[in-house]
């Protein structure tokens, strides 16, 4: 039989082992039953936005088409110039481009018919001047053929549709008779129509008369012909008060540049 003290000591050792085992087992049980684990790092995401992934604007955010100075092509609203000069230029531009839709926006139907009847003159126009009263303004343009366009507009309609109420073109004509041809040249001189002078005569002759003050009136007469040319003499009134002799090529009568020379001084 063992001594009592030794028995007690062994029991304490066994008891400690049981307690330690129980603690370990309890810890394992807690871990297995959803106990708090060590925190983990949050997941990260990378998004690449390309041009094709741009968001489509909602209908409320989409801006309405802005008006342009053109004729309303596509969905753009047409605009109308506020000044007479710009309005007339817009009409002539549409006329030259054969843009009937734009012409209808700028001119009334009587004017549209005038334009149709006039056909399509040379479209290289030069602005000359605008003049008018409190109701209408008329703007004058010339093209490289010497044609004169008169565009008449209702002032209260500037900046709005259908302001043009008249569009007339005085076209350069080429007489078939030598005296009439030279008289047409003098008339262009009186009108200050340098473009038309250049259509009737060669550059030297046209430039000479373009730089001189035109007479109020003149007389023209044929004084001879030879080698396919006709000589025409004119007498001018004040302030020029002079006489000139023009050489006219017969084969060019009815066409441009029939006047080839003149004297004195213009050769």
């Amino acid at each position: 039989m063992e001594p009592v003290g030794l028995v007690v000591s062994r029991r304490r050792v066994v008891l400690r082992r049981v307690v330690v085992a129980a603690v370990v087992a309890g810890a394992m049980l807690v871990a297995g039953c959803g106990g708090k684990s060590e925190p983990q790092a949050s997941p990260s995401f990378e998004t690449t936005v390309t041009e094709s992934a741009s968001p489509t604007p909602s209908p409320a955010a989409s801006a309405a088409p802005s008006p342009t100075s053109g004729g309303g092509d596509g969905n753009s609203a047409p605009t109308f110039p506020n000044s007479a000069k710009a309005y007339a230029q817009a009409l002539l531009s549409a006329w030259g481009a054969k843009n009937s839709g734009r012409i209808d926006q700028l001119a009334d139907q009587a004017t549209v018919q005038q334009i149709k009847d006039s056909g399509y003159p040379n479209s290289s126009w030069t602005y000359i001047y605008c003049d008018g009263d409190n109701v209408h303004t008329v703007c004058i343009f010339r093209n490289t053929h010497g044609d004169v366009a008169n565009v008449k507009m209702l002032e209260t309609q500037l900046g709005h549709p259908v302001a043009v109420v008249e569009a007339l073109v005085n076209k350069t004509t080429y007489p078939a008779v030598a005296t009439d041809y030279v008289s047409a040249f003098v008339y262009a001189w009186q009108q200050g129509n340098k473009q038309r002078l250049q259509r009737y005569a060669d550059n030297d002759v046209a430039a000479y008369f373009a730089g001189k003050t035109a007479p109020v009136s003149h007389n023209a007469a044929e004084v001879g012909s030879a080698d396919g040319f006709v000589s025409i003499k004119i007498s001018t009134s004040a302030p020029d008060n002079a006489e000139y002799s023009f050489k006219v090529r017969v084969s060019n009568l009815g066409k441009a540049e029939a006047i080839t020379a003149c004297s004195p001084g213009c050769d």
Side-chain angles (χ1 to χ4, degrees), residues 81-190:
N82 292 314
S83 74
K85 176 183 176 182
Y87 209 106
Q89 286 173 326
L91 178 75
L92 292 175
S93 178
W95 191 346
K98 301 182 181 180
N99 187 342
S100 58
R102 182 61 170 162
I103 293 172
D104 286 339
Q105 295 171 356
L106 298 170
D108 64 17
Q109 287 305 300
T111 304
V112 171
Q113 189 60 49
Q114 286 177 339
I115 290 171
K116 290 179 179 179
D117 293 342
S118 297
Y120 295 95
N122 175 275
S123 60
S124 180
W125 295 100
T126 297
Y127 169 75
I128 306 302
Y129 65 86
C130 288
D131 194 14
D133 50 32
N134 293 326
V135 179
H136 297 99
T137 296
V138 177
C139 292
I140 309 298
F141 296 80
R142 295 193 199 110
N143 64 17
T144 56
H145 286 186
D147 303 332
V148 181
N150 296 264
V151 182
K152 185 177 182 179
M153 291 151 284
L154 191 64
E155 290 186 358
T156 56
Q157 281 299 110
L158 294 175
H160 304 284
V162 195
V164 181
V165 295
E166 189 173 83
L168 299 175
V169 176
N170 182 317
K171 293 183 178 180
T172 299
T173 59
Y174 304 94
V177 178
T179 51
D180 294 341
Y181 202 104
V182 172
S183 290
F185 177 88
V186 175
Y187 179 73
W189 179 20
Q190 292 171 328

